Amino acid sequence: GAGVSQSPSNKVTEKGKDVELRCDPISGHTALYWYRQSLGQGLEFLIYFQGNSAPDKSGLPSDRFSAERTGGSVSTLTIQRTQQEDSAVYLCASSPERGWETQYFGPGTRLLVL
Amino acid sequence: AQRVTQPEKLLSVFKGAPVELKCNYSYSGSPELFWYVQYSRQRLQLLLRHISRESIKGFTADLNKGETSFHLKKPFAQEEDSAMYYCALIFGNEKLTFGTGTRLTIIP
């Protein structure tokens, strides 16, 4: 079946604009993660959705970042008033019912804030 | 809190030489540990997990609870092993925690 998909694959925006990044997890996967991957910072956890539980937002770097997961499937990561330091690759991953199962990653969205 | 440390950001090894990518963790329980790999222009993917005790692409990783380590090893490096490697840890139904990664370069 199809793997995790993300859109857009690349996004260039101007400082101060809002952006929305989309993630389509593997069908049936209840766990969904967002990460940020940047040079020198490795893989930075942002937010974790597990089923109907309240999301773990402990990794969001500021209140400009938010994420939703509608109907337990598609997720959208929103960055408001983007800053140049937000430039990075944003990765989404999903896994089956339990968090310790293998995570399957999407191809990422490369965000460049000018 | 659980934490994963990969002390080397960059590691260069000659082809044919042994490879060891270090990973240490801090957790008092018995976590599940993973190695993920990202080859150039490819998705991040699972390389191996502790519970499977398997060897993938010649790589193995042994959990040392005394030293709280899960180092990734391969006896003879190949050029195609050049990639970014991440160690990760999970306990129970907590979220997966990644290290900061090590970029491995195999020198021909």
Side-chain angles (χ1 to χ4, degrees):
Chain A
V4 177
S5 61
Q6 292 185 246
S7 61
S9 54
N10 291 280
K11 177 71 177 179
V12 180
T13 190
E14 293 178 347
K15 177 181 172 181
K17 295 284 181 68
D18 297 351
V19 295
E20 283 190 353
L21 312 180
R22 178 187 168 103
C23 172
D24 281 273
I26 293 173
S27 178
H29 282 192
T30 60
L32 187 148
Y33 298 74
W34 281 98
Y35 298 93
R36 181 166 67 177
Q37 187 178 38
S38 51
L39 286 174
Q41 299 296 324
L43 201 60
E44 178 186 9
F45 164 77
L46 297 177
I47 189 168
Y48 165 46
F49 296 90
Q50 173 59 285
N52 295 320
S53 302
D56 179 346
K57 303 179 182 180
S58 59
L60 295 178
S62 77
D63 58 8
R64 296 186 295 105
F65 288 73
S66 63
E68 291 184 340
R69 189 177 184 191
T70 55
S73 181
V74 171
S75 177
T76 302
L77 176 69
T78 301
I79 309 173
Q80 295 178 309
R81 306 180 301 282
T82 52
Q83 302 294 313
Q84 289 183 333
E85 59 263 30
D86 299 335
S87 297
V89 176
Y90 289 82
L91 295 176
C92 175
S94 71
S95 66
E97 184 178 352
R98 294 299 181 186
W100 59 75
E101 295 287 338
T102 300
Q103 290 196 9
Y104 295 85
F105 282 82
T109 293
R110 187 175 298 276
L111 174 67
L112 177 61
V113 182
L114 301 176
Chain B
Q2 54 196 40
R3 181 182 296 176
V4 179
T5 302
Q6 293 181 252
E8 303 142 327
K9 282 193 173 182
L10 303 170
L11 181 64
S12 295
V13 174
F14 283 101
K15 177 182 174 182
V19 176
E20 182 178 66
L21 293 131
K22 292 184 169 54
C23 173
N24 288 88
Y25 66 92
S26 59
Y27 195 81
S28 57
S30 295
E32 179 61 33
L33 288 142
F34 305 78
W35 277 98
Y36 279 79
V37 62
Q38 188 170 28
Y39 300 103
S40 179
R41 299 188 187 87
Q42 294 188 27
R43 301 184 185 203
L44 192 62
Q45 60 186 292
L46 179 70
L47 178 62
L48 57 79
R49 55 190 298 178
H50 159 246
I51 197 170
S52 301
R53 299 186 181 280
E54 55 194 348
S55 174
I56 304 295
K57 299 185 179 183
F59 283 98
T60 58
D62 292 320
L63 176 60
N64 185 323
K65 291 186 178 181
E67 296 182 358
T68 58
S69 68
F70 189 57
H71 303 329
L72 183 68
K73 300 178 183 179
K74 183 170 182 176
F76 307 104
Q78 298 173 292
E79 289 186 57
E80 55 264 34
D81 296 330
S82 292
M84 190 75 178
Y85 291 81
Y86 291 95
C87 182
L89 168 160
I90 197 165
F91 179 75
N93 204 26
E94 297 290 322
K95 63 180 180 289
L96 193 64
T97 300
F98 282 87
T100 51
T102 298
R103 181 168 297 282
L104 175 65
T105 301
I106 305 303
I107 304 166

